[in-house]
Amino acid sequence: MATDPATEQTPSAPPESTPVFIDQVTPPATTTVDSRDKPAVPLQNILEQQITGTEGGKFPTPTRVSLVVALISLMFILALLWRSISQRRALNREEARLRAELEA
């Protein structure tokens, strides 16, 4: 069953007036309560923000939970490193034993 090429829809090119940049789009007609009450924040202010709730903009001291999680993570990494080193030593010993058997 052949299809007629004249009946098939071909995609058309986008219209020339398609907005590319956000300033080309008209603002929405309805505004929410949140968007009316909050003014826009300039990028420079965002980059220069200080940590709120602390004196002098210093980082807050870590909690016990975060310290415990960091120590457990460190111990886990060290255990993986120790396991890797011990397995490599075992492989080296096995390789040396097999070489000695082949030479004998």
Side-chain angles (χ1 to χ4, degrees), residues 42-59:
L43 179 62
Q44 188 65 26
N45 290 354
I46 293 173
L47 295 176
E48 292 176 353
Q49 278 184 346
Q50 297 291 324
I51 299 172
T52 58
T54 61
E55 56 279 340
K58 296 180 181 176
F59 287 106

Side-chain angles (χ1 to χ4, degrees), residues 28-91:
T30 60
T31 57
T32 62
V33 175
D34 294 334
S35 65
R36 282 189 306 209
D37 295 340
K38 296 180 182 177
V41 178
L43 179 62
Q44 188 65 26
N45 290 354
I46 293 173
L47 295 176
E48 292 176 353
Q49 278 184 346
Q50 297 291 324
I51 299 172
T52 58
T54 61
E55 56 279 340
K58 296 180 181 176
F59 287 106
T61 57
T63 62
R64 287 185 187 187
V65 174
S66 62
L67 288 176
V68 168
V69 168
L71 287 175
I72 290 173
S73 300
L74 179 64
M75 289 176 13
F76 180 72
I77 291 170
L78 290 175
L80 289 177
L81 182 64
W82 178 257
R83 180 177 174 212
S84 171
I85 291 172
S86 64
Q87 285 180 348
R88 187 66 199 159
R89 285 180 181 168
L91 284 173

Side-chain angles (χ1 to χ4, degrees), residues 6-18:
T7 60
E8 290 183 10
Q9 295 284 336
T10 58
S12 61
E16 293 296 325
S17 64
T18 303

Side-chain angles (χ1 to χ4, degrees), residues 94-104:
E94 182 68 18
E95 184 180 333
R97 185 187 65 80
L98 290 174
R99 282 186 184 162
E101 284 182 5
L102 286 175
E103 291 175 0

